[in-house]
Amino acid sequence: MIKIDAMMVCLDLSDIDEKLVAFARSICDRMEIRKVYFVHNIKVYELSDDFKEWFGDVDLASEIEGNIQDIVAEHFEGGCEHEILVSEEPNTEVILADLVKRYKIKLTVLGKKMSDKSTGALGTKLLRILPCSVLVFPETARFNIQKVLVPIDFSDTSEHALRLSKNLSDQLRLQLEIMHVYRLPRQFFPLISQEKAVKKAEEVVKSKFAELQKRHQEMSSVPYTLVRAANKSIAERIILHLEKGNHDLLVLGLKGNNPLPTLSLGSVPTELYNTDIHVPLWLVYSEDAIQ
């Protein structure tokens, strides 16, 4: 069973906050979450001189905390234990990373607006700096999760994400599908035919799936899909399959202390984050506890 002692929900005082709080409530309903921290950081240096002159005597942190309390009272009623944290620091990424370490956060929930409303620059920075798993909730996503897609590259990291996905699917009775996107090494063409190369590549990948199922027999019944990247990026192939299969959640593994993976996954999480997908994206950090 997946247990999360501490979860952090990042709020920005925009319309998406209500959806994030309600989504956090739905997570608490379906998973074992001990405590949730609703957090917001005020970048004081971004306040205009006019604002400071007009409202200089206002306790801005208290006002914002009251606003968040109202949202939590409306959309988190009956949820698990929670606390509201409002800080005033010049660097939001640094203070959030500090909160993750201070409160031993295992999962951070981030909202994501569509690209025509936001650049997503802060979210990209947080993916690089937060030492915990990150669950990205797009403003167009729905709460009702029934189908999970987990792309893997057969690394230890992706297997960790797969085990978590299987655990989650068993716990919540969800449909789970494994996916692998492969590329053909172009340097061998035209020495060998493309048809032979595809056949050989699929044989190799299928043997890796067989080895994976031997190591983790609980995966033997999980369907998997093998997709050739061809003229598209790995992230583009994942998105196409995500839409075609009507999945509700995408899970990817992250590596090391710097969550953005290297090697075969490359910049896949970054590209997926910067694309307007309409399902939650769970980027799984390797220290998540699966019990």
Side-chain angles (χ1 to χ4, degrees), residues 7-11 17 20-21 24 36-40 76 107-110:
M7 182 172 78
M8 181 169 73
V9 181
C10 300
L11 306 176
D17 283 359
L20 282 181
V21 174
V36 176
Y37 295 90
F38 296 101
V39 305
H40 175 76
F76 200 73
L107 177 64
T108 292
V109 179
L110 294 179

Side-chain angles (χ1 to χ4, degrees), residues 182-189 193-202 228-230:
Y182 72 92
R183 289 188 180 281
L184 295 179
R186 295 183 179 181
Q187 64 268 32
F188 296 118
F189 300 122
S193 71
Q194 183 167 301
E195 182 180 352
K196 288 183 178 180
V198 169
K199 183 178 179 181
K200 182 60 178 178
E202 292 190 352
R228 180 185 167 195

Side-chain angles (χ1 to χ4, degrees), residues 69-87:
Q69 284 176 341
D70 290 342
I71 296 174
V72 171
E74 181 178 355
H75 298 282
F76 200 73
E77 183 180 1
C80 57
E81 181 183 353
H82 63 275
E83 184 176 345
I84 297 171
L85 303 174
V86 177
S87 57

Side-chain angles (χ1 to χ4, degrees), residues 26-270:
S26 71
I27 294 175
C28 291
D29 284 343
R30 307 183 77 182
M31 296 173 59
E32 189 170 341
I33 312 292
R34 187 183 65 81
K35 187 170 183 177
V36 176
Y37 295 90
F38 296 101
V39 305
H40 175 76
N41 180 56
I42 306 168
K43 289 186 176 181
V44 179
Y45 71 88
E46 291 186 350
L47 300 178
S48 68
D49 292 336
D50 287 341
F51 182 94
K52 295 175 183 177
E53 182 179 349
W54 296 339
F55 304 102
D57 58 344
V58 172
D59 186 345
L60 191 56
S62 295
E63 292 293 328
I64 290 175
E65 183 175 344
N67 178 271
I68 294 174
Q69 284 176 341
D70 290 342
I71 296 174
V72 171
E74 181 178 355
H75 298 282
F76 200 73
E77 183 180 1
C80 57
E81 181 183 353
H82 63 275
E83 184 176 345
I84 297 171
L85 303 174
V86 177
S87 57
E88 299 182 41
E89 298 292 340
N91 192 308
T92 298
E93 309 93 82
V94 172
I95 186 60
L96 292 182
D98 179 68
L99 291 176
V100 168
K101 296 174 183 177
R102 189 187 313 171
Y103 294 103
K104 298 180 180 179
I105 303 294
K106 290 298 181 183
L107 177 64
T108 292
V109 179
L110 294 179
K112 185 177 184 297
K113 301 179 180 69
M114 295 297 100
S115 58
D116 61 341
K117 298 180 181 179
S118 172
T119 63
L122 177 59
T124 302
K125 290 179 182 177
L126 290 175
L127 294 185
R128 295 180 183 277
I129 196 172
L130 292 183
C132 69
S133 293
V134 177
L135 180 53
V136 181
F137 186 79
E139 62 179 345
T140 55
R142 56 181 181 265
F143 298 167
N144 185 27
I145 295 173
Q146 298 296 331
K147 296 182 67 177
V148 181
L149 178 65
V150 52
I152 66 171
D153 64 354
F154 301 102
S155 65
D156 291 342
T157 301
S158 67
E159 286 191 24
H160 176 83
L162 176 57
R163 293 197 306 274
L164 182 139
S165 300
K166 182 65 167 68
N167 205 312
L168 181 70
S169 299
D170 290 345
Q171 186 175 334
L172 304 181
R173 298 182 179 180
L174 307 177
Q175 298 178 50
L176 176 63
E177 181 183 357
I178 306 171
M179 178 185 187
H180 176 76
V181 182
Y182 72 92
R183 289 188 180 281
L184 295 179
R186 295 183 179 181
Q187 64 268 32
F188 296 118
F189 300 122
L191 298 177
I192 58 175
S193 71
Q194 183 167 301
E195 182 180 352
K196 288 183 178 180
V198 169
K199 183 178 179 181
K200 182 60 178 178
E202 292 190 352
E203 287 176 355
V204 170
V205 175
K206 286 178 180 178
S207 68
K208 289 185 177 182
F209 269 115
E211 292 172 4
L212 173 66
Q213 291 170 338
K214 286 182 181 179
R215 292 194 303 274
H216 305 286
Q217 295 185 4
E218 70 276 13
M219 304 296 176
S220 59
S221 61
V222 180
Y224 69 84
T225 300
L226 177 60
V227 177
R228 180 185 167 195
N231 60 341
K232 296 187 180 297
S233 70
I234 292 176
E236 287 173 331
R237 284 297 177 192
I238 291 173
I239 292 169
L240 287 172
H241 193 75
L242 192 69
E243 294 172 346
K244 181 180 178 181
N246 294 316
H247 296 86
D248 308 302
L249 175 65
L250 178 62
V251 182
L252 281 178
L254 301 178
K255 296 182 180 180
N257 292 326
N258 179 355
L260 285 182
T262 55
L263 302 177
S264 54
L265 273 181
S267 59
V268 172
T270 309

